[in-house]
Amino acid sequence: MAIRYGVILVLASLMMAPVFAEEARRYPPLPQTILTPDQVPSRIGELRFDDGRPDAATVATLYDHLDFLRGVEVFLNFIPAASLEALRVGMAELGATQSSDVVIFEQLMDARPLFLTGNTDTVYASAMLDLQRDGPTVVEVPPGAGPGTVNDAFFRFIIDMGAPGPDRGKGGHYLILPPDYQGPITPSVQGKPQRVDGRDYYVARSASYINWLILRGLLVEGKAEPAVTMWREGLKVYPLSQVAEPPTMRFINGSDRSVNTIHANDFHFYLELDQVIQREPVGLLEPELRGLAAAIGIRKGQPFAPDKRMKTLLSEAVAVGNATARAIWLKPRDANARLYPDSGWYTPFVGGDYRWLIDEGEGGRNLDARTLFFYSATVNTPAMALRIPGVGSQYAFNATDAEGRYLDGGETYRLRLPAPVPAKNFWSVVVYDPQTRSELQTQQRYPSKNNVRDTLRYNDDGSVDLFFGPKAPKGWESNWTETLPGKGWFTVLRLYGPLEPWFDKQWQPGELEPYKE
């Protein structure tokens, strides 16, 4: 009986099995948000797919676009590196190939050199440090030095010297360590000097081998000679290994010399960057940036040899990258760039952080702010964000007239600076070429006005009117800076030793108003 019952159960199970197999497995509808249509319209053309699989033409289009995008991003992100490399090359062309070779602009920087928004107001002393060749390098800064800085090969801040540095303008010995230094010397903490072989040094470590030393000497009663003497008699740069017998300093006058120190805006930009990547240690750049460069074929230890397709794409990418940088620089869309409501004046140092961090990094890195600055300027230092009245310098850019139109070299404009201009030391207004971002080359040696160097005509209330145009308005020759018909221009206002009314915006420069006699 038990056997018969078991057989019945087995037969019943077999009879029921087909019933279960016939029931279809059911799935919920697929979310449309994760599906790819067979045709996708886009700014790079229609992209075609077969059940989510791109066809051959679409694959080729997308990889071309990806390589193009990365080429643009490499340009925008690596402007600092290419810019400092161009400075190194320009300095070498002037003859500064050793750390003890210093270029001094003894008659100030005139309009001959191509140099990003260089000033006509301070005596530059410039040198290139090669820490791979020389090892730890000493910089002796004399008393009375104005603002000075060392920047690494990615234009990152290493240390200040002179007035904003730890020596506070009293002079001192600085020691710059290479990235691979493994000796007993350690960087200074909180600006305290380190004792090395019986001498105190302000010590800093660089992430790169090539570093730029740039110092500024202030004018004395409008004259450059005292600063030139200070540099020639007191500035010394040499390897620490030669401290007992430093090499003889060689000073090169950079005034009235034509040289280019500006990075390329065409395919040569990538060649400049490759020079940096090949020379510097891997640790100079974070993996994300290294990966971006490697994506277009620039990688340490490997030749940069793009094929015809890639070179064509990169040539287009650098053109778009350059155009984008120009939009960011001349027409910043960040509201924080504007210094005043309804004004053309804006800051080149958006965010006030030399690392370009937003809210100490909580908001990431302000990439457009970094592009704006390094496309138009050099020297990276926290001193630019210092809010200490009477110390350092402050800057304001302007590329448009009171109606928001780009400045036209064939027109005449008036700029009024109300009295008193909040500058402890002096102020200046310099005119630049929008193509080169360098001083505008005209028949005037210095395309600028400076209240301690120049004899200016003032208004009865102490304010000063500055004029810009092809010809000087009658009676205002002393206040006139020449511009060229058919050529645009922009200007930079500098305050040396800015005072509180600048920081709290109680004082505001006028706009560039079209002027008719």
Side-chain angles (χ1 to χ4, degrees):
M1 185 69 180
I3 294 174
R4 182 180 300 175
Y5 183 71
V7 170
I8 293 171
L9 288 175
V10 170
L11 291 173
S13 298
L14 292 173
M15 293 175 64
M16 293 175 64
V19 175
F20 290 127
E22 290 176 1
E23 288 188 8
R25 188 178 296 274
R26 299 181 181 276
Y27 297 93
L30 294 174
Q32 291 299 307
T33 55
I34 71 170
L35 302 181
T36 300
D38 287 347
Q39 290 86 37
V40 177
S42 77
R43 65 190 305 161
I44 58 173
E46 185 174 80
L47 308 176
R48 294 181 173 274
F49 298 84
D50 174 15
D51 199 18
R53 299 166 294 182
D55 66 18
T58 294
V59 168
T61 295
L62 290 172
Y63 275 125
D64 282 352
H65 186 55
L66 182 61
D67 290 339
F68 167 79
L69 288 176
R70 285 176 171 159
V72 173
E73 285 297 317
V74 166
F75 181 86
L76 294 174
N77 282 283
F78 283 93
I79 289 173
S83 182
L84 200 131
E85 174 65 8
L87 268 166
R88 184 194 67 80
V89 172
M91 290 279 291
E93 289 179 3
L94 290 174
T97 58
Q98 303 295 315
S99 60
S100 54
D101 298 335
V102 177
V103 175
I104 303 178
F105 288 84
E106 298 189 9
Q107 291 79 41
L108 304 178
M109 183 177 284
D110 54 85
R112 287 190 181 276
L114 300 178
F115 190 101
L116 291 176
T117 50
N119 74 62
T120 62
D121 315 306
T122 62
V123 180
Y124 285 119
S126 174
M128 283 291 169
L129 311 183
D130 187 339
L131 304 180
Q132 185 176 36
R133 179 191 62 204
D134 299 336
T137 298
V138 177
V139 180
E140 294 186 16
V141 177
T149 303
V150 175
N151 284 162
D152 75 7
F154 198 71
F155 248 124
R156 287 179 299 217
F157 171 75
I158 301 301
I159 193 168
D160 275 332
M161 301 176 176
D167 71 277
R168 294 295 183 261
K170 297 178 181 178
H173 294 78
Y174 289 79
L175 183 60
I176 311 302
L177 303 177
D180 49 7
Y181 174 77
Q182 295 181 349
I185 307 171
T186 57
S188 298
V189 177
Q190 295 182 339
K192 302 296 183 183
Q194 298 280 75
R195 197 75 172 169
V196 180
D197 295 333
R199 176 188 281 175
D200 285 341
Y201 293 91
Y202 300 107
V203 183
R205 182 191 292 269
S206 175
S208 66
Y209 295 128
I210 293 297
N211 292 262
W212 185 37
L213 166 66
I214 181 67
L215 302 163
R216 288 176 288 175
L218 301 182
L219 303 181
V220 178
E221 296 180 352
K223 299 185 182 303
E225 289 80 2
V228 173
T229 300
M230 174 183 65
W231 295 139
R232 284 185 167 272
E233 294 183 355
L235 176 61
K236 294 180 174 59
V237 186
Y238 53 87
L240 180 64
S241 61
Q242 299 179 33
V243 65
E245 295 184 38
T248 301
M249 294 294 296
R250 190 163 71 97
F251 295 103
I252 303 164
N253 188 359
S255 296
D256 287 320
R257 298 280 300 274
S258 295
V259 67
N260 178 35
T261 68
I262 301 174
H263 64 80
N265 289 336
D266 61 8
F267 181 80
H268 290 88
F269 177 92
Y270 301 113
L271 301 179
E272 293 170 337
L273 175 60
D274 185 55
Q275 288 289 321
V276 179
I277 298 293
Q278 300 306 328
R279 180 186 62 241
E280 298 296 342
V282 170
L284 172 68
L285 303 171
E286 59 194 39
E288 195 83 12
L289 280 175
R290 291 202 302 270
L292 187 58
I296 64 167
I298 300 177
R299 183 175 176 182
K300 187 174 179 65
Q302 298 185 9
F304 175 51
D307 58 19
K308 182 178 179 181
R309 166 192 163 275
M310 193 64 172
K311 189 170 183 179
T312 299
L313 284 170
L314 291 179
S315 296
E316 182 184 358
V318 73
V320 173
N322 177 58
T324 304
R326 287 184 167 273
I328 292 170
W329 158 51
L330 287 169
K331 290 289 186 177
R333 62 182 180 181
D334 189 336
N336 293 319
R338 294 295 163 187
L339 289 170
Y340 314 99
D342 303 318
S343 171
W345 294 103
Y346 63 98
T347 176
F349 199 53
V350 180
D353 189 300
Y354 69 97
R355 300 157 299 178
W356 318 105
L357 298 180
I358 303 171
D359 295 332
E360 291 295 319
E362 287 190 11
R365 199 180 305 277
N366 192 331
L367 300 179
D368 287 356
R370 185 174 66 184
T371 295
L372 188 162
F373 182 83
F374 285 111
Y375 191 79
S376 60
T378 63
V379 189
N380 182 12
T381 167
M384 289 189 294
L386 283 177
R387 192 184 174 94
I388 304 177
V391 176
S393 50
Q394 289 286 308
Y395 310 83
F397 280 27
N398 201 334
T400 57
D401 67 10
E403 301 300 320
R405 298 167 297 209
Y406 282 132
L407 298 169
D408 183 347
E411 301 294 327
T412 301
Y413 301 88
R414 182 187 69 182
L415 167 63
R416 176 164 293 177
L417 300 180
V421 178
K424 176 183 176 182
N425 299 319
F426 59 92
W427 57 261
S428 78
V429 175
V430 186
V431 169
Y432 296 96
D433 183 334
Q435 282 282 5
T436 65
R437 293 90 77 203
S438 303
E439 294 175 27
L440 186 65
Q441 296 179 338
T442 68
Q443 293 305 304
Q444 293 178 322
R445 184 178 186 184
Y446 306 113
S448 64
K449 287 293 172 280
N450 174 313
N451 71 308
V452 298
R453 186 193 66 210
D454 301 311
T455 302
L456 301 173
R457 173 181 166 183
Y458 290 84
N459 300 318
D460 292 341
D461 62 358
S463 65
V464 61
D465 289 339
L466 302 179
F467 293 86
F468 310 85
K471 295 181 180 180
K474 187 175 180 179
W476 292 99
E477 290 80 4
S478 62
N479 294 30
W480 167 69
T481 301
E482 183 181 8
T483 60
L484 304 173
K487 183 77 184 151
W489 59 279
F490 70 99
T491 190
V492 177
L493 167 67
R494 290 177 170 87
L495 304 181
Y496 293 89
L499 300 175
E500 193 61 38
W502 166 262
F503 293 111
D504 62 18
K505 298 185 180 181
Q506 293 179 15
W507 183 88
Q508 178 178 340
E511 301 301 306
L512 287 148
E513 304 275 357
Y515 179 81
K516 301 291 184 182
E517 290 192 81

